Amino acid sequence: MTPQRYRVQSGDISLQVYTWGDRRHPALVLVHGYPDNHRVWAAVAERLAARYFVIAYDVRGAGESDAPVGRDNYRMPLLSADLQAVVDALIPGKAFHLAAHDWGSIQSWESVTTEPLKSRILSYTTISGPCLDHMGYWMRKRILSRSFAHQRQVLKQTVSSWYIWFFQAPFAPELLWRAVAGRFWPLYLAKREGVHEAEPNPTQTRDGEKGVWLYRANFINKLTRPEARPAACPVQLIVPTRDNYVGTMLFDDLHEWVPELFRRDMDATHWVPLSHTDKVAGAIDEFVAAVERSDHASTLAALRVHGNNNTDRQAFAS
């Protein structure tokens, strides 16, 4: 299935946008992570196009979208403004469903939890991408805890996130992508993740090289100075249980921020949209359809995450 292509302006940069399906159907936006572009969602989009108007785009720095230079050009508010520009151009004034993976999920939490898009997002499916503010509270709670188990969780996640600290270094990550990583990325996915792309990504080196600015611009300030970020819409959490980068324990406190939280664990590694395309498409379809019918609370009750203890959130948010 060949998607329709559009060019959308967001401030000073131009974004490449793709759509599948009929505009008269409910709108569903898919946001990719790092070091990917919209292609990571293409197979899922094709499976959902019969029921939804599916929109995907190359985030700034990836694919055929512009890649501005410098840390300030990759801050969360600008990433959220890019999503707003895309939906304002393709579905002006309309509400929509949102699904995102990895960094796409991390940045989409900004839109899910703040206006002006918070009131337009009908549902959110998040895969392997915690909100950095939620993660900041999660880490603070465990660092201050006297529980050895809690402190071990922080240590385990810090080790798994070694690349985040490496990406803070100037020049070295870019040089690595140009010299080695871009060429051998398909082999890395196959050997480390058990994932095979349908065809090589022609902008892989650029996607990896430019995308490191996402980490430099947002991680340290968000983790050290987190803000209260409650969600209003129903949220579906898809957790690959063999994720080598995002520990499953990072989502233990998510119910404190999301009143309507539904969780699905999948026996998969990080790139689950590629490795388990049918399952991911089916999970998104079931969730979005239930929210559209307004019966998600009953039909998906077995997936509901319940939690009534908001003490930690209130204490840290004050």
Side-chain angles (χ1 to χ4, degrees):
M1 182 182 296
T2 302
Q4 297 294 312
R5 294 165 56 96
Y6 301 87
R7 205 71 188 173
V8 171
Q9 196 70 23
S10 178
D12 296 332
I13 72 162
S14 178
L15 302 170
Q16 186 63 50
V17 184
Y18 305 82
T19 69
W20 296 257
D22 191 326
R23 286 177 175 272
R24 293 170 295 182
H25 292 162
L28 169 63
V29 181
L30 306 175
V31 188
H32 71 83
Y34 176 88
D36 304 313
N37 58 41
H38 81 281
R39 293 156 56 98
V40 78
W41 279 115
V44 172
E46 291 176 358
R47 285 159 173 77
L48 294 170
R51 292 168 59 90
Y52 306 100
F53 180 52
V54 184
I55 303 168
Y57 65 101
D58 294 331
V59 305
R60 58 175 61 205
E64 296 182 40
S65 290
D66 290 348
V69 177
R71 187 187 310 267
D72 288 346
N73 286 309
Y74 291 84
R75 301 283 189 190
M76 285 292 187
L78 289 177
L79 301 175
S80 182
D82 288 348
L83 175 58
Q84 183 181 357
V86 169
V87 295
D88 283 350
L90 273 297
I91 48 168
K94 294 184 179 179
F96 60 96
H97 300 271
L98 181 64
H101 173 249
D102 185 77
W103 241 104
S105 182
I106 291 174
Q107 71 184 60
S108 291
W109 279 108
E110 186 81 3
S111 300
V112 169
T113 59
T114 63
E115 295 296 355
L117 290 182
K118 182 177 181 177
S119 56
R120 288 178 63 184
I121 297 174
L122 298 170
S123 75
Y124 180 40
T125 295
T126 171
I127 309 174
S128 293
C131 172
L132 295 186
D133 294 284
H134 298 169
M135 188 173 171
Y137 288 118
W138 180 93
M139 292 186 69
R140 185 185 301 184
K141 175 181 177 180
R142 282 153 180 79
I143 289 171
L144 296 177
S145 171
R146 295 182 180 181
S147 166
F148 175 71
H150 276 174
Q151 294 174 2
R152 185 173 58 185
Q153 286 181 341
V154 174
L155 178 61
K156 181 180 179 181
Q157 183 57 50
T158 301
V159 172
S160 297
S161 301
W162 63 269
Y163 57 94
I164 295 173
W165 317 114
F166 173 64
F167 287 167
Q168 306 305 314
F171 310 120
E174 289 90 338
L175 291 174
L176 180 64
W177 274 104
R178 291 177 208 160
V180 180
R183 193 173 2 144
F184 291 102
W185 187 251
L187 181 62
Y188 175 83
L189 284 181
K191 297 296 185 181
R192 172 66 168 165
E193 299 293 315
V195 170
H196 298 273
E197 295 179 289
E199 56 187 35
N201 174 10
T203 61
Q204 186 63 74
T205 298
R206 178 181 181 270
D207 294 349
E209 179 186 348
K210 302 301 182 182
V212 297
W213 286 109
L214 296 166
Y215 294 84
R216 292 170 178 163
N218 298 290
F219 255 93
I220 293 178
N221 62 309
K222 282 287 189 181
L223 294 183
T224 57
R225 297 187 298 276
E227 301 174 82
R229 290 288 196 234
C233 68
V235 174
Q236 173 176 225
L237 174 64
I238 296 179
V239 182
T241 56
R242 293 184 285 116
D243 196 315
N244 291 310
Y245 315 98
V246 182
T248 59
M249 66 278 189
L250 284 177
F251 305 106
D252 288 350
D253 300 342
L254 187 55
H255 62 273
E256 297 177 0
W257 302 98
V258 180
E260 290 189 280
L261 179 63
F262 302 82
R263 175 169 175 157
R264 299 177 195 256
D265 287 1
M266 289 190 183
D267 181 20
T269 55
H270 183 76
W271 270 273
V272 67
L274 292 175
S275 63
H276 292 66
T277 302
D278 288 333
K279 283 189 175 181
V280 170
I284 294 173
D285 182 23
E286 183 181 18
F287 183 59
V288 171
V291 173
E292 282 284 309
R293 297 191 305 267
S294 299
D295 65 2
H296 54 283
S298 57
T299 59
L300 302 179
L303 303 177
R304 185 76 178 264
V305 178
H306 295 281
N308 299 315
N309 184 7
N310 291 326
T311 303
D312 296 320
R313 182 186 71 181
Q314 294 168 352
F316 291 141
S318 61

